[in-house]
Amino acid sequence: MRIIGTGSALPKKVVENADLERFLDTSDEWIVTRTGIRSRHVISDERLEDLGRDAAQKALADAGLAPGDIDLFICSNVVNEYMTPGLGCIIAAAVGLQCPSMDINCACPGFIYALDIADSYFRAGKVRNVLVVCAEEPTRMTSWQDRATCVLFGDGAGAAVLTEGEGVRSIRISARPDPEKIWQFRPLEPTPFVTKTEVGLPLQMNGREVFRFAVTASIEDIQAVLAKEGLTVGDVDYFLIHQANLRIVEGIRQRLGVPEEKFPCNIQDHGNSSSASCPILLDEYKRKGLFKKGDKLVFSAFGAGLLTAAALVEW
Ligand code: ACO
């Protein structure tokens, strides 16, 4: 399969670090030094499905396809306002899709997990065109009294249209199941029968361990997808790394020994938008005209699960 269209959409409200200083014991200096983040887009009066719809429509327009051309829709999302139906069904209705729709909750590597699922459908000959939308609002998961987590996140949606072809050359998805490093608990409705204690908790994260895991796992994944194709790090034109923290991206870049210009970033004014991060990054730099035909792009993402994934794409 190959990528023939991309799109993205961001909430209109921009929150600067200085805005956070007003109600949190934090500073612009701490946030920039530890994360690289200066501002982020956060959901205010929008609904997440509107961002997902906008990103999808832009990607379809970019691909020159109509909603009726799509044979499968995959939506990547961790939380949204609906328990059911899946966010994908809501976006599908807004876009006018008629094809099967499935939702995946694979946290930050969700875009690459979706590519892997789509790849299997193409290889089985079941589809001609697939739409992937990653729509996330992690700012609704954290406590805004917890300075160690809320400063990290931003919201948004990114989309890609895939069709038959040779562009996506190698994908690796993997897991090191460890639900205690990043997790959030949401109690369900009480019933007359439930006797266990259920207390809701905002996002909990062991930042240091996640940091170490992210750098190690990303390098392993990148080397694996390149080795599968007989390539080395030097053959890659651009690395599109999940925008979790500029220091994580820097750690990966330095260990791989790659110059800065091969690592496009947008975390500075986006924060971490979970699975939407990679497709937003792709769309923004594509629209800036960064990628040339034949360029080799490597995606790498890691997050809750712990899940990790990488993909090699020839543009
Ligand atoms: N402002 C000021 N001080 C702060 C802030 C803040 N926003 N946040 C934490 N601190 C303090 C801590 O309280 C601590 O103080 P103490 O020493 O008095 O206890 C001190 O700063 C150092 O805290 P650490 O947590 O050790 O700081 P660290 O350098 O590890 O940076 C961070 C924290 C940014 C979270 C880092 O560990 C990180 O980026 N981890 C990876 C997170 C990530 O990428 N998650 C992605 C997955 S998310 C998902 O999948 C949903």
Side-chain angles (χ1 to χ4, degrees):
M1 67 185 182
R2 63 195 178 94
I3 299 172
I4 53 162
T6 64
S8 61
L10 298 169
K12 60 184 172 305
K13 174 133 190 88
V14 173
V15 175
E16 313 272 349
N17 291 345
D19 300 320
L20 301 176
E21 287 176 357
R22 290 193 195 103
F23 60 91
L24 275 178
D25 179 15
T26 189
S27 65
D28 176 57
E29 195 267 332
W30 193 97
I31 301 171
V32 172
T33 318
R34 302 287 179 124
T35 73
I37 302 166
R38 294 181 183 277
S39 64
R40 69 285 288 145
H41 293 257
V42 306
I43 290 263
S44 55
D45 60 359
E46 303 95 344
R47 288 186 177 274
L48 186 59
E49 56 264 37
D50 299 336
L51 300 179
R53 175 204 59 211
D54 291 352
Q57 287 174 336
K58 287 178 193 170
L60 284 169
D62 190 35
L65 293 185
D69 297 323
I70 300 297
D71 305 311
L72 176 69
F73 177 38
I74 308 172
C75 177
S76 165
N77 168 257
V78 177
V79 292
N80 69 88
E81 292 174 66
Y82 291 85
M83 293 290 253
T84 193
L87 182 66
C89 294
I90 296 159
I91 296 173
V95 174
L97 300 175
Q98 295 297 330
C99 61
S101 167
M102 63 172 88
D103 281 60
I104 59 169
N105 179 341
C106 300
C108 306
F111 178 62
I112 306 172
Y113 267 70
L115 291 183
D116 192 58
I117 295 167
D119 188 48
S120 308
Y121 275 81
F122 280 107
R123 286 178 193 279
K126 287 171 145 185
V127 291
R128 282 171 305 120
N129 302 303
V130 175
L131 173 64
V132 173
V133 172
C134 304
E136 303 279 14
E137 49 184 338
T139 69
R140 303 300 304 279
M141 299 169 66
T142 62
S143 158
W144 284 79
Q145 269 100 50
D146 178 5
R147 64 180 184 174
T149 53
C150 71
V151 304
L152 303 173
F153 295 99
D155 304 320
V161 176
L162 303 154
T163 197
E164 292 160 304
E166 297 295 324
V168 181
R169 287 178 50 178
S170 159
I171 307 176
R172 169 176 148 125
I173 59 170
S174 40
R176 299 181 193 177
D178 185 351
E180 284 167 21
K181 295 291 185 292
I182 310 171
W183 61 281
Q184 180 178 6
F185 187 76
R186 176 173 54 173
L188 300 179
E189 293 298 312
T191 75
F193 314 108
V194 170
T195 52
K196 58 197 168 174
T197 311
E198 293 184 335
V199 182
L201 270 178
L203 188 76
Q204 310 291 307
M205 180 171 66
N206 184 327
R208 293 220 160 166
E209 287 192 38
V210 173
F211 193 113
R212 274 195 293 274
F213 151 75
V215 174
T216 319
S218 174
I219 289 170
E220 209 180 288
D221 282 346
I222 290 170
Q223 283 167 341
V225 290
L226 291 175
K228 246 200 230 169
E229 291 295 308
L231 297 174
T232 65
V233 165
D235 296 316
V236 179
D237 296 287
Y238 296 104
F239 293 85
L240 293 133
I241 309 292
H242 167 47
Q243 303 286 290
N245 180 330
L246 200 56
R247 279 166 59 219
I248 293 179
V249 179
E250 270 299 294
I252 296 164
R253 184 183 74 73
Q254 282 168 10
R255 281 171 183 76
L256 291 175
V258 174
E260 253 177 64
E261 59 271 19
K262 289 195 169 190
F263 273 66
C265 285
N266 65 7
I267 188 167
Q268 296 87 341
D269 55 4
H270 286 62
N272 175 351
S273 57
S274 190
S275 73
S277 149
C278 281
I280 293 174
L281 188 67
L282 173 69
D283 181 55
E284 290 186 354
Y285 277 93
K286 186 199 143 187
R287 284 171 200 272
K288 285 179 187 166
L290 186 66
F291 312 127
K292 298 181 308 296
K293 189 170 165 23
D295 274 354
K296 291 183 189 66
L297 316 184
V298 167
F299 291 90
S300 166
F302 32 79
L306 298 166
L307 299 182
T308 152
L312 167 69
V313 174
E314 192 165 319
W315 197 245

